[in-house]
Amino acid sequence: MMIEAEILIPATTMNHGEFFVLGVTHRTAPLGTRERLALTSEAEAGLAADLARLPGLSEYVVLNTCNRVEIYGVGHGHGVRVRVMSAFCARQGIAVAEFERLRLDLGGIDAVQHLLEVAAGLDSQMLGENEIFGQVKKAYATAQARGSAGPVLNRAFQKAFQAAKHVRTHTAITSGLVSVANVAVDLALSVFGGLGEARVLLLGAGDIGLKSGRAFRSRSPASLSVASRRLEHAREVAAELGADALPFEGAMAGLAGFDVVVCSTAAPTTLIAPALVHSAMRQRQGRPLFFIDVAMPRDVEAGVSEIENVFLYNLDDLARIAAENRVARESEIARCQAILRQRADALWTQVDHHLCPEAGTGAAADERHPFGRTAGLAV
């Protein structure tokens, strides 16, 4: 399949720059470590302020999701990536040496390819998931609002969105259970057989909570409730879902009255401890209680899974289940990667043409490129 090659990055802005991505993902760090490094909204705002003060960093976008924290940047001069890494480690309280063992660190065309694959859902734990596209768009919009996305990142992200839409439209990569919400519903069905008598609680009224609510609503549960620390937010989501809105404290106190609990809050620490669940189970008289914890950091303590008749699935558990669908779509993965590689190569060709037209391609040209071809660029 031939794809029109038109991914361009303005040459006038990049005479001595480099494009890079630095961070941690589900591929480089286990769930427990990702919990430690996940950015709260306050920490993300603080990190953005830290990055704005770094010498040589002219543009940046922070992508912060349940499975990745990535900083896409454009740097000028030496040591930019080291300064970005140091700023992130200082903000999150992790030793630089430990972070270096876990980090994703890509530059040039490798970073471009990575961005395209992330936006398209190819680099997700749940292959082809839809949520990541919206998360990347939100991260980019946030950068635009604070003025940290300039000509280079504007072009790169806009073209990433186009590429992601193309592979989703022209391949079968999104077929099957490719969202947290769909996998969660499938798991609940495996526990209860059907949801006609199940009472479902959404603990957290964010985007994932809303999508999970839609997925469960489609299976006609006995009841669907939404709880959030901001009751007005819970009411908004509940109105859209045709559900009941509950005060957060009331939902926690009434945990025994629910069969399925989907946890997706932004709380900085766990909310549901074994003692709370033990108390709920005594009231449930042996009826199973099903937790789906898609929060980062986790909302439910791991020890809850050891309680009889309690089922607990977290992000890594859901990803392992979704991976079963991956084998059937290996050919689609290869097809998508080929499409995205062609688009990433087109970007590289255009950069080469604008910045080093007299040098063409090859090693000599590579040395002059502001976007180094390998992940190991000198910084």
Side-chain angles (χ1 to χ4, degrees):
M1 178 185 296
M2 295 301 294
I3 306 299
E4 183 178 355
E6 59 167 0
I7 304 178
L8 309 175
I9 289 185
T12 56
T13 66
M14 296 170 47
N15 292 334
H16 302 287
E18 63 161 353
F19 178 82
F20 64 88
V21 56
L22 181 71
V24 293
T25 78
H26 63 95
R27 296 187 185 277
T28 67
L31 179 59
T33 303
R34 299 200 307 274
E35 276 188 314
R36 292 169 50 207
L37 298 181
L39 295 166
T40 64
S41 56
E42 295 79 8
E44 184 174 343
L47 177 62
D50 295 340
L51 295 176
R53 294 190 290 267
L54 291 184
L57 184 65
S58 60
E59 302 180 34
Y60 62 89
V61 170
V62 179
L63 176 59
N64 179 39
T65 77
C66 56
N67 280 320
R68 67 184 70 244
V69 179
E70 297 178 339
I71 302 167
Y72 293 85
V74 177
H76 300 265
H78 295 287
V80 176
R81 277 195 245 179
V82 172
R83 288 192 286 272
V84 170
M85 179 172 61
S86 297
F88 177 78
C89 290
R91 172 64 57 178
Q92 294 303 92
I94 183 174
V96 171
E98 181 182 359
F99 180 79
E100 286 179 330
R101 294 193 297 270
L102 304 168
R103 67 181 174 178
L104 167 79
D105 187 2
L106 300 173
I109 193 171
D110 296 325
V112 171
Q113 178 83 17
H114 179 75
L115 172 59
L116 269 59
E117 292 189 359
V118 168
L122 286 189
D123 194 62
S124 297
Q125 274 192 315
M126 296 191 178
L127 180 68
E129 62 151 319
N130 295 310
E131 286 89 352
I132 188 63
F133 184 76
Q135 291 167 332
V136 176
K137 290 191 72 173
K138 182 179 179 181
Y140 171 58
T142 299
Q144 284 185 305
R146 67 171 166 246
S148 67
V152 176
L153 293 185
N154 284 338
R155 183 58 64 109
F157 274 79
Q158 289 164 11
K159 291 301 180 179
F161 300 144
Q162 292 178 17
K165 290 178 181 177
H166 182 89
V167 297
R168 289 176 179 275
T169 302
H170 293 88
T171 73
I173 199 64
T174 59
S175 63
L177 298 175
V178 294
S179 73
V180 168
N182 286 338
V183 174
V185 169
D186 194 58
L187 282 170
L189 287 171
S190 71
V191 173
F192 294 101
L195 298 179
E197 298 181 1
R199 293 169 55 85
V200 179
L201 170 65
L202 307 178
L203 202 59
D207 185 58
I208 292 179
L210 175 60
K211 290 178 178 177
S212 297
R214 289 171 180 160
F216 276 99
R217 172 56 73 196
S218 70
R219 299 305 181 106
S220 302
S223 70
L224 181 63
S225 302
V226 183
S228 173
R229 291 195 183 279
R230 293 172 52 203
L231 184 56
E232 67 276 12
H233 195 186
R235 285 172 175 159
E236 291 173 6
V237 173
E240 182 168 343
L241 295 172
D244 300 318
L246 300 176
F248 189 83
E249 294 76 10
M252 294 289 283
L255 197 62
F258 298 97
D259 304 294
V260 178
V261 182
V262 182
C263 304
S264 61
T265 79
T269 59
T270 55
L271 300 172
I272 298 175
L276 178 64
V277 179
H278 273 299
S279 176
M281 291 304 291
R282 283 193 291 270
Q283 300 175 59
R284 290 181 62 78
Q285 300 179 340
R287 288 178 294 133
L289 179 55
F290 183 56
F291 289 97
I292 303 167
D293 187 359
V294 294
M296 179 60 71
R298 285 173 282 189
D299 282 338
V300 185
E301 290 186 20
V304 165
S305 65
E306 299 175 6
I307 301 173
E308 186 176 2
N309 283 334
V310 174
F311 300 84
L312 170 62
Y313 291 87
N314 60 35
L315 286 166
D316 282 354
D317 296 323
L318 297 181
R320 280 192 290 272
I321 294 165
E324 296 174 3
N325 295 323
R326 185 182 181 95
V327 175
R329 289 181 286 159
E330 286 295 340
S331 61
E332 289 302 307
I333 296 172
R335 186 179 177 207
C336 291
Q337 288 175 331
I339 292 171
L340 296 178
R341 189 174 301 113
Q342 187 176 16
R343 292 196 169 212
D345 286 344
L347 181 147
W348 185 264
T349 300
Q350 293 295 335
V351 170
D352 185 53
H353 172 75
H354 284 287
L355 297 179
C356 304
E358 75 284 358
T361 59
D366 291 349
E367 292 178 358
R368 288 190 293 273
H369 272 299
F371 288 38
R373 277 190 187 272
T374 69
L377 288 177
V379 291

